[in-house]
Structures are given as structure tokens and as C-alpha cells.
Amino acid sequence: PGAWYCYCRNGASFSKGYRPDRFPRKKRLLLEMERRLEGIVPRERFQAYTDRQLQAMARVASVQEAAHGRAAKLTGREVGRRLRAICGDLRLQETLRRYPWWKLPRMQAAYAFAMRFQLTGLQRLLVALREKR
């Protein structure tokens, strides 16, 4: 009884499909949200939420980069360069230093650890493991 939901990945979806500029665009949106919130409430009231959102946006963008790299048969070096471009973002690194990512669910914590220390090989491995499920 109740609702039944069947989730499927749609690679052609605008929101889930690969976009090389996904992280910069999402980050720009988040920074604008923070700017507007600062006029309403003190930063300490929303900082944890926006930190969590930024690291989640980076995780989604880097997972897509790793998956796209494998599908497009890019070299490991090229995929690593793209992942480092996301993970090397100064604001993201500041967020990962501040945010208690080790309290996240296991796979998310492992991915946050890989982003924090820019371990691109581990990121690619975690994406491959996720897709084998």
C-alpha cells in the first residue's frame, strides 16, 4: 500500500546530465544566496547549510566529471586535471576544512575526504564502485 517509486538515471536530463561548467555555475548561485541571506540573518545561522550545499555541489560535479571521463574515454591525466580544478577551489577547500565531513554517510565521507586532499584516483575509484551497484 502507498506510493511506489521507480528511480532511473536519465543521462539526457538537464539537471543530471554532464555539464562542464556545472560547479562554477552552482557555486555562483550559492554565493548569491549567501549574499542575500547576510542581509537578513547572521552568517553563523546559515553557514553550516551553505557549506554542506557547496560540498554536495562539488561532489555531484566531480562525480559527473569522473563518469564522463570514463564514458568519453579521456585519459586519467585529463580527468584528474578536471577533478583538481573542482577540488582545488579555494572556497571548497575552506569549507571542507571547516565542515565535519567525517560525520556524513560512509560513501559521502569518503568522497569528501578525497576532495579535501585532492585524491583524484580515489575519487575515480569511488565513482566506479558506485556505478557497479
Side-chain angles (χ1 to χ4, degrees), residues 8-125:
C8 67
R9 292 185 186 208
N10 179 1
S13 167
F14 179 73
S15 62
K16 300 293 182 186
Y18 171 73
R19 295 179 58 99
D21 62 342
R22 179 175 302 280
F23 181 67
R25 292 179 81 186
K26 293 272 190 169
K27 181 183 168 192
R28 195 167 44 242
L29 175 64
L30 185 77
L31 293 175
E32 178 62 22
M33 287 174 22
E34 285 182 340
R35 187 186 69 74
R36 290 181 184 200
L37 282 170
E38 281 181 324
I40 302 168
V41 296
R43 179 172 277 280
E44 54 272 1
R45 296 229 3 233
F46 65 82
Q47 186 72 62
Y49 299 105
T50 55
D51 282 354
R52 185 173 347 154
Q53 188 66 40
L54 181 64
Q55 70 92 14
M57 289 172 174
R59 184 178 62 245
V60 168
S62 59
V63 164
Q64 286 186 345
E65 281 294 346
H68 171 74
R70 195 169 56 255
K73 294 184 174 42
L74 298 177
T75 65
R77 183 171 292 177
E78 176 62 20
V79 174
R81 185 188 64 74
R82 291 175 180 205
L83 292 174
R84 277 189 297 282
I86 294 169
C87 298
D89 180 80
L90 295 177
R91 174 63 193 279
L92 175 62
Q93 285 298 314
E94 174 188 317
T95 295
L96 289 169
R97 278 192 295 276
R98 180 175 51 234
Y99 188 78
W101 49 263
W102 53 90
K103 293 182 179 181
L104 292 169
R106 238 178 294 164
M107 281 297 276
Q108 288 180 18
Y111 208 88
F113 173 82
M115 286 192 304
R116 168 70 177 91
F117 296 101
Q118 299 183 35
L119 304 171
T120 59
L122 178 58
Q123 287 175 283
R124 292 188 353 240
L125 175 66

